[in-house]
Amino acid sequence: MNDDSLIGEVTSGIAGEFSKFGKSVTSQITGSTPKNPADATAVKQVTGFGKAITGQLFGSKPESTQKAKSIPQPASFLDELKKMGRSVTAQVSGAEDLTGEQVSEMAKKDEEFSKQEADALKARIAKIYEEYRAKKKQMDEEIKSKLAQEEQHQKEGEVLMQKNEEVSLNNPAIAKTRAEIKNYGAE
């Protein structure tokens, strides 16, 4: 009989601890300890749970669960559980709780990177403009040389025509055929 009473005491002690743990978890989830057990309805508990989860996910505290400041207590199992939950949600969602120092350090690195990239981009743009100027200058020179060649060719053509006319005027056979061609048109 002594064993049965011992088992009963251990079982009631464990049940009491589970009851305390359940109340503690409920108060952690809902954000408050219900003063009246009748007020701790399932809807209120779910609402408190939702606010606590969104607060942990987005880093804000629910407005309705503002508590008076109390004396900080040593870290407990539930606090460690909360930290682990935040860590898991941060890893899943890709968000992190960062300190101001970490944010300012990241901002400095971002500004340095942005400056380097802006300088590199400016250099590439300047190179593109320089290449464009060089191509345009080359095209202008090619056009000028083509125009000069055409002008030279025209002058050579005019010189040849003048020479042909001089030759034809000085040659009496050509002059005679011209006269005959003119008369042929009159007949």
Side-chain angles (χ1 to χ4, degrees):
M1 273 194 143
N2 199 10
D3 290 335
D4 288 337
S5 65
L6 183 62
I7 293 174
E9 286 179 27
V10 170
T11 308
S12 67
I14 291 174
E17 290 298 317
F18 274 121
S19 174
K20 288 179 189 177
F21 180 72
K23 287 178 185 177
S24 176
V25 168
T26 304
S27 70
Q28 290 290 323
I29 290 173
T30 60
S32 63
T33 306
K35 295 175 185 171
N36 186 359
D39 291 340
T41 64
V43 173
K44 287 183 181 180
Q45 289 178 356
V46 169
T47 303
F49 178 73
K51 288 179 183 177
I53 291 296
T54 55
Q56 287 180 356
L57 285 176
F58 298 110
S60 63
K61 294 186 177 184
E63 297 169 7
S64 64
T65 61
Q66 294 177 352
K67 298 180 182 179
K69 292 185 179 180
S70 62
I71 300 171
Q73 297 177 356
S76 68
F77 176 72
L78 291 176
D79 292 335
E80 294 300 317
L81 207 62
K82 279 185 188 179
K83 287 179 185 177
M84 188 175 71
R86 284 188 190 129
S87 174
V88 168
T89 55
Q91 289 176 2
V92 169
S93 67
E96 273 187 58
D97 289 338
L98 301 174
T99 64
E101 185 178 306
Q102 289 173 329
V103 170
S104 64
E105 186 177 319
M106 289 170 60
K108 285 180 186 177
K109 287 180 182 178
D110 184 49
E111 286 180 28
E112 290 173 4
F113 178 75
S114 296
K115 186 178 183 302
Q116 290 174 353
E117 288 299 311
D119 292 342
L121 187 60
K122 285 178 185 178
R124 285 195 332 217
I125 290 172
K127 182 179 177 184
I128 290 170
Y129 274 112
E130 189 62 36
E131 288 174 358
Y132 174 75
R133 284 187 201 110
K135 283 183 181 180
K136 186 170 181 174
K137 185 177 179 182
Q138 183 181 6
M139 289 176 65
D140 288 345
E141 288 176 2
E142 287 176 6
I143 290 172
K144 285 180 184 179
S145 67
K146 284 183 181 181
L147 288 175
Q149 285 177 354
E150 285 180 20
E151 205 173 294
Q152 182 68 27
H153 188 65
Q154 272 185 337
K155 286 181 182 178
E156 289 174 358
E158 288 175 6
V159 168
L160 281 175
M161 293 212 20
Q162 285 177 352
K163 283 184 181 179
N164 284 341
E165 285 181 19
E166 287 177 11
V167 169
S168 65
L169 291 176
N170 293 338
N171 191 350
I174 293 176
K176 184 178 178 184
T177 52
R178 279 195 180 152
E180 289 177 5
I181 292 173
K182 286 182 185 176
N183 288 336
Y184 180 76
E187 292 180 7

